[in-house]
Amino acid sequence: MPIGSVPPKYKVTIDNDLCMLCERCIENCPYGTFRREGNKIMTFSRACTGCHRCVAMCPRDAIDIEEKPVDYRTHPVWTREAREAIYNQAQSGKIILTGMGNTLNVPPIFDRLLLDACQVTNPSIDPLREPMELRTYIGKKPRQISVKKTAEGDIDLATQLAPNLKCETPIMIGHMSYGAISLNAQRSMARGAAEEGTFMGTGEGGLHKSLYPYQDNMIVQIASGRFGVDIDYLERGAAIEIKIGQGAKPGIGGHLPGEKVDEKVSKTRMIPLYSDAISPAPHHDIYSIEDLSQLVRSLKEATEWKKPVFVKIAAVHNVAAIAAGIARSSADAVVIDGFRGGTGSAPRVFRDHVGIPIEAAIAAVDQKLNKQGIRNEVSIIASGGIRDSADVTKAIALGADSVYIGTAALVSLGCRVCGSCYRNMCPWGIATQREDLTARIDPDIMYKNVSNLIHGWTLEIAELMGAAGINSIESLRGNRDRLRGYMLDENILSVLDVKTVGAGAE
Amino acid sequence: MCGIISVIDRKKNPMDGSAIKESLSIMNERGNGEGSGYAVYGAFPEFADYYAIHVFYDDLIGPKTAVEEELEKLGTVKHQEEIPTFEQPNLKKRHIPWRYFFKPNVMALGTSVSEEDILVYLMTKVNTTIPGALIYSTGKNIAVFKAAGWPEEVADFYRIQDYEGYIWLSHNRYPTNTAGWWGGAHPFNLLDWTVVHNGEITSYGTNKRYLESFGYVCTMHTDTEVVAYLTDLLQRQHNLPAELAFKALAPPFWDDIDRMPEKERTFNTALRMAYGPAMMNGPFAIVVANSEGIAGITDRIKLRPLVAAEAGDRLYLSSEEAAIRVAEPALDRVWMPRAGEPVIGRIE
């Protein structure tokens, strides 16, 4: 090719004094970074994705991976990424695909929000000694409770509650489909979620039989491709979620390459073996809120009004008005996925440039629903870039009922966020269907990582709440008083409805 | 910090304000001289059918004219007067307290609404759009006296011993996170509801937003205001009996709800799910009154003190037993209510 190849991103070196030629690096790297030549392991750095599987598995710590310094002429505007994208497209003429979340260097708003803590006048609460309540009900709530007096003078409840998901923590695991990720990864997360009394999404890949034991903790998803959807699927889920959009790629559909569609995936998705699974950008029966409302109600009717129905959208500029429409469509919860949301595969230009940060989206939606007097009647689930318990706490203080985590759950299974999920070669056995690779996750062991993660975050949220003098998560939700903005401009503070650092209560 | 004391005479025998002043003043170490106040039910028998609208004016020209224009649009003023005050060495007249006895016109807003709704509309309108005027009480037959000062100064400023009633509430303030100002002093009143509060409501942000979604506007710059509005919302608008409304504000823990028999469990679950944003968090002891009685409640882990006592027909609720004994040295019964459990005293 006249342009030639681009320089490698990583430099992989082996310390031959330490190496004992066990060849685990060769076995572990599906990209072919290592080979043996005589009494030496040779490296082919160009193949490395920086997944660190080899480093993690080397018994002698003999492998070093460094990000290779850019050997183009440095330029503040024409970055390495900008130039390489052009070389790549000049050669291929294709859309550039990528995996995982946004890589643009835009500071997360979460990092510029600071939480509160009590001092003296108001005692902080010690979660080790006092009850701390994180239980969260996701679903429709009545606007008010009606009571009636019985003939005997007792007071009875006259209001009937809509079905809700009872979560023991405000952390749920978002939708990652079977196909995009491996069954073993899904099973680990499903069991982990069930252990912690919370829920996990199936994604649009259907529900594999081996997940049936966890079905009471699973939310089944319906995307535009309708993969794996039949009445049995709907009935098995604890809740149903209609996916309209996704934070990593608002406005476009999904694409699972045929090579990931092996026999089990094909059966679960109900599509032909090795065929590409393409979800259209829109649902072809939804062109308005009225249409959405029909689907929501049909799903409820099909499941005898026993299950909450959620609607997931990407966080976009007009997210508040869209969410308000969804709230009025009979949906029980609106899921908002921010522009840092992960993905198995998306066009890079979408992932990095379309949508808005989840922090602003939550605040705008919460505000709009509140103004319309319906905030308490529908739940808000926030996702897309939740990295730790502080992010969860801040998301709730901005107005979310609970969060979905995605990448964080994968990281608990070993994922190093190398961003090569779309290649079906994930060395950690997560974003792949290759059996030799998926076997690297034993769900009966790895579920513990997931449950540990959720458990640990839950403890931290309890501590943060206690420090703020709050012993029940309901009192944190939408409580902007417990947040202050640091180095945020006035416009963002106004969208977030948060005061600046140093400002008192009023 | 902050000290509260409240008393009801269940037979509606009138009590003048001298004893409550002494009771409150003994808790001076709970305040800092930046806010005290008193409320009394049964204060205006001659105007018992009219809403007593109390206003702080910054001057009697602009704001007063603007308020009276609103009053004229919304109903009829039967009588109005400046509230008599007597300046004290440390308590000068920062605002001019005024009261109107007012009858709303239920058709004033173009369509038939309740008298109470007109009053809420009026209060919101005045407090959010007329600078220099603050409506701080709107109840029938209820007088509220408050200012930034020590309990005895505020009592003498208004000469509360000249007033009589069958329920008294009082408050000695130690402002911690908001400024000490006249409007921020307790009691807080809305229609028939009056509230005094010791503590800090850490759920204020959530409660405030929840109330806003029902059209209430918080203008007093203090967390206690939400208690009056939440009580109004739950008891007047949603028709919840007092016991249930208090349960919504300080509900049982989920662990306790899980152990309840099915019917009770369903009831409590529904109450918590529907009124999660109304529940109050943080350290608090509050007394809420209406013309039918008083109710005291603390937060769910009792981070603030509350003592109850009975003497004949009278029920006392206070931060300290000593304060009660100043008014009534011989008590029939004294007890410490459990966390989150309301103590209710009703007129007979």
Side-chain angles (χ1 to χ4, degrees):
Chain A
M1 284 291 197
I3 293 176
S5 59
V6 298
K9 274 193 174 150
Y10 305 97
K11 184 165 173 56
V12 186
T13 49
I14 298 213
D15 185 333
N16 285 313
D17 291 339
L18 293 173
C19 176
M20 61 178 187
L21 296 169
C22 69
E23 297 188 9
R24 274 181 218 177
C25 49
I26 300 174
E27 284 162 27
N28 272 285
C29 179
Y31 301 111
T33 307
F34 303 94
R35 65 183 191 280
R36 181 163 177 166
E37 282 184 13
N39 280 337
K40 257 190 173 174
I41 302 288
M42 305 298 286
T43 65
F44 177 57
S45 292
R46 195 172 287 281
C48 178
T49 64
C51 84
H52 277 233
R53 178 82 188 181
C54 55
V55 175
M57 294 302 155
C58 175
R60 287 281 180 89
D61 290 337
I63 305 172
D64 260 340
I65 299 178
E66 282 174 81
E67 284 205 45
K68 200 166 178 307
V70 179
D71 53 7
Y72 299 101
R73 170 188 178 252
T74 55
H75 194 288
V77 178
W78 287 94
T79 59
R80 170 190 188 132
E81 287 71 26
R83 273 175 279 184
E84 286 187 2
I86 291 177
Y87 300 144
N88 200 344
Q89 279 182 309
Q91 287 181 323
S92 69
K94 302 269 172 65
I95 288 171
I96 299 173
L97 285 184
T98 187
M100 307 310 294
N102 196 317
T103 54
L104 286 191
N105 186 21
V106 186
I109 297 173
F110 280 133
D111 292 344
R112 297 186 172 198
L113 288 171
L114 302 173
L115 290 159
D116 190 22
C118 298
Q119 308 283 294
V120 187
T121 62
N122 178 1
S124 40
I125 302 168
D126 181 353
L128 290 175
R129 290 164 186 82
E130 300 287 353
M132 202 54 75
E133 301 190 303
L134 278 85
R135 184 183 295 179
T136 305
Y137 281 92
I138 303 292
K140 238 180 215 332
K141 313 287 189 299
R143 183 171 171 80
Q144 69 178 81
I145 291 286
S146 303
V147 295
K148 56 182 180 220
K149 262 201 169 153
T150 63
E152 298 79 44
D154 286 349
I155 292 173
D156 271 358
L157 182 64
T159 306
Q160 188 163 5
L161 287 184
N164 268 248
L165 289 189
K166 176 180 157 190
C167 312
E168 294 302 340
T169 170
I171 305 158
M172 302 192 282
I173 300 177
H175 291 260
M176 291 170 279
S177 74
Y178 177 38
I181 63 169
S182 68
L183 193 53
N184 282 345
Q186 271 202 332
R187 285 170 60 192
S188 307
M189 290 190 285
R191 185 168 167 191
E195 288 277 316
E196 295 305 314
T198 185
F199 294 81
M200 171 193 164
T202 58
E204 62 166 323
L207 183 71
H208 188 267
K209 278 190 175 139
S210 66
L211 292 165
Y212 288 178
Y214 312 110
Q215 63 186 26
D216 292 343
N217 294 81
M218 299 205 70
I219 301 158
V220 295
Q221 194 179 59
I222 296 179
S224 59
R226 303 287 196 264
F227 302 122
V229 178
D230 62 10
I231 188 65
D232 180 60
Y233 175 68
L234 297 180
E235 279 172 356
R236 284 183 190 280
I240 301 167
E241 179 167 315
I242 301 166
K243 174 193 158 186
I244 303 290
Q246 180 181 349
K249 39 185 171 179
I252 64 173
H255 182 177
L256 183 72
E259 66 203 83
K260 276 185 161 180
V261 184
D262 65 11
E263 205 176 324
K264 281 190 290 184
V265 172
S266 127
K267 275 195 180 146
T268 311
R269 286 209 178 211
M270 305 177 194
I271 55 172
L273 200 59
Y274 302 122
S275 64
D276 283 10
I278 297 174
S279 288
H283 286 244
H284 284 309
D285 52 355
I286 302 177
Y287 288 90
S288 64
I289 288 288
E290 295 79 8
D291 292 344
L292 173 68
S293 179
Q294 280 193 16
L295 181 60
V296 170
R297 297 173 77 86
S298 324
L299 291 168
K300 289 192 173 191
E301 193 65 39
T303 50
E304 298 172 333
W305 296 79
K306 286 181 182 157
K307 294 176 197 299
V309 175
F310 308 163
V311 176
K312 172 175 165 173
I313 51 168
V316 290
H317 301 177
N318 200 24
V319 65
I322 300 161
I326 291 170
R328 292 177 188 283
S329 75
S330 299
D332 299 83
V334 48
V335 183
I336 318 164
D337 197 20
F339 85 146
R340 288 182 189 281
T343 176
S345 171
R348 201 181 78 157
V349 67
F350 271 82
R351 185 196 67 177
D352 291 349
H353 300 281
V354 185
I356 64 168
I358 189 61
E359 301 91 326
I362 301 167
V365 170
D366 179 59
Q367 191 96 308
K368 178 76 135 189
L369 296 179
N370 207 50
K371 271 199 181 137
Q372 297 193 352
I374 52 172
R375 169 63 189 95
N376 197 37
E377 290 163 55
V378 64
S379 296
I380 297 175
I381 303 168
S383 66
I386 304 284
R387 302 155 299 172
D388 54 30
S389 58
D391 286 354
V392 181
T393 311
K394 291 169 188 175
I396 293 171
L398 285 172
D401 287 79
S402 78
V403 302
Y404 272 155
I405 57 170
T407 305
L410 301 184
V411 171
S412 81
L413 295 175
C415 166
R416 298 306 206 253
V417 198
C418 74
S420 305
C421 326
Y422 58 100
R423 292 174 62 186
N424 197 28
M425 287 201 286
C426 173
W428 292 89
I430 299 167
T432 176
Q433 300 304 328
R434 254 174 59 176
E435 279 185 16
D436 59 324
L437 300 175
T438 60
R440 293 178 180 181
I441 292 182
D442 180 346
D444 292 331
I445 295 170
M446 297 301 277
Y447 83 90
K448 199 68 201 164
N449 294 28
V450 180
S451 81
N452 278 343
L453 176 76
I454 296 172
H455 197 78
W457 282 17
T458 305
L459 293 176
E460 287 178 349
I461 296 166
E463 290 284 350
L464 290 170
M465 282 167 45
I470 289 172
N471 61 15
S472 179
I473 197 120
E474 293 106 306
S475 301
L476 177 68
R477 191 175 309 135
N479 197 341
R480 318 289 170 84
D481 276 6
R482 304 269 79 94
L483 290 174
R484 289 290 184 274
Y486 184 45
M487 297 199 297
L488 288 173
D489 68 47
E490 271 186 37
N491 293 326
I492 295 185
L493 287 173
S494 135
V495 168
L496 298 174
D497 191 19
V498 165
K499 295 189 188 83
T500 183
V501 286
E506 281 293 344
Chain B
M1 303 310 260
C2 298
I4 56 179
I5 178 159
S6 173
V7 56
I8 177 172
D9 188 297
R10 294 185 180 108
K11 293 247 164 51
K12 291 185 88 170
N13 293 314
M15 301 170 274
D16 72 33
S18 46
I20 200 93
K21 168 189 155 188
E22 296 305 318
S23 291
L24 190 67
S25 303
I26 202 160
M27 294 188 285
N28 267 355
E29 65 186 20
R30 293 182 161 272
N32 70 349
E34 288 189 30
S36 308
Y38 303 83
V40 54
Y41 283 70
F44 306 117
E46 68 275 33
F47 296 112
D49 292 335
Y50 293 86
Y51 291 89
I53 299 174
H54 292 55
V55 194
F56 284 139
Y57 284 126
D58 287 356
D59 67 66
L60 296 183
I61 304 162
K64 186 161 182 282
T65 311
V67 168
E68 286 172 4
E69 275 172 15
E70 290 300 325
L71 288 170
E72 206 168 302
K73 275 189 242 165
L74 297 170
T76 319
V77 174
K78 172 78 176 167
H79 175 70
Q80 61 163 306
E81 61 193 8
E82 182 178 351
I83 298 172
T85 54
F86 307 86
E87 291 199 331
Q88 302 296 306
N90 294 317
L91 184 50
K92 301 298 171 203
K93 210 188 278 188
R94 170 79 184 77
H95 306 279
I96 303 154
W98 206 273
R99 64 191 164 213
Y100 297 90
F101 295 96
F102 176 72
K103 181 91 182 160
N105 170 7
V106 292
M107 290 303 291
L109 295 175
T111 139
S112 176
V113 295
S114 71
E115 290 191 343
E116 288 92 345
D117 287 335
I118 301 264
L119 266 295
V120 173
Y121 170 84
L122 169 74
M123 179 167 158
T124 309
K125 179 89 188 281
V126 168
N127 292 356
T128 56
T129 64
I130 303 180
L134 181 88
I135 295 184
Y136 60 93
S137 181
T138 49
K140 276 184 182 171
N141 211 359
I142 301 165
V144 171
F145 310 101
K146 58 187 188 180
W150 291 99
E152 50 273 52
E153 287 170 352
V154 174
D156 293 342
F157 181 79
Y158 290 105
R159 290 214 180 137
I160 66 161
Q161 65 270 26
D162 296 346
Y163 295 84
E164 285 190 337
Y166 60 96
I167 294 174
W168 279 90
L169 293 95
S170 66
H171 184 264
N172 182 1
R173 186 166 188 227
Y174 196 124
T176 47
N177 61 359
T178 54
W181 67 298
W182 285 37
H186 304 208
F188 287 93
N189 166 281
L190 178 71
L191 299 166
D192 203 25
W193 306 110
T194 309
V195 177
V196 287
H197 164 224
N198 165 22
E200 237 177 273
I201 299 172
T202 51
S203 54
Y204 173 68
T206 301
N207 303 144
K208 179 171 165 270
R209 290 179 69 74
Y210 178 65
L211 285 163
E212 282 166 359
S213 79
F214 286 94
Y216 293 87
V217 183
C218 298
T219 52
M220 309 278 181
H221 312 292
T222 179
D223 51 3
T224 309
E225 186 182 10
V226 297
V227 185
Y229 302 158
L230 286 169
T231 309
D232 184 61
L233 175 71
L234 269 51
Q235 297 198 33
R236 181 175 68 87
Q237 297 211 41
H238 291 183
N239 284 317
L240 289 183
E243 288 81 354
L244 286 184
F246 284 117
K247 202 163 253 186
L249 298 184
F253 288 100
W254 284 119
D255 280 352
D256 296 327
I257 294 175
D258 288 347
R259 283 194 292 267
M260 290 174 181
E262 194 191 336
K263 188 180 161 190
E264 211 183 333
R265 189 173 66 236
T266 311
F267 210 131
N268 279 280
T269 302
L271 208 57
R272 259 196 94 162
M273 280 170 64
Y275 293 112
M279 99 179 246
M280 300 195 325
N281 230 297
F284 64 83
I286 55 170
V287 176
V288 179
N290 69 6
S291 49
E292 302 291 306
I294 62 172
I297 191 169
T298 63
D299 61 84
R300 305 189 303 160
I301 50 178
K302 208 165 179 182
L303 295 168
R304 284 291 184 272
L306 188 70
V307 183
E310 280 176 327
D313 293 328
R314 291 179 185 173
L315 170 75
Y316 288 87
L317 292 166
S318 177
S319 306
E320 292 184 26
E321 187 178 333
I324 300 173
R325 294 221 182 248
V326 167
E328 198 94 40
L331 296 166
D332 302 335
R333 184 183 166 215
V334 180
W335 75 101
M336 318 289 164
R338 289 178 53 169
E341 262 182 28
V343 178
I344 298 178
R346 288 194 174 88
I347 55 169
E348 288 164 3

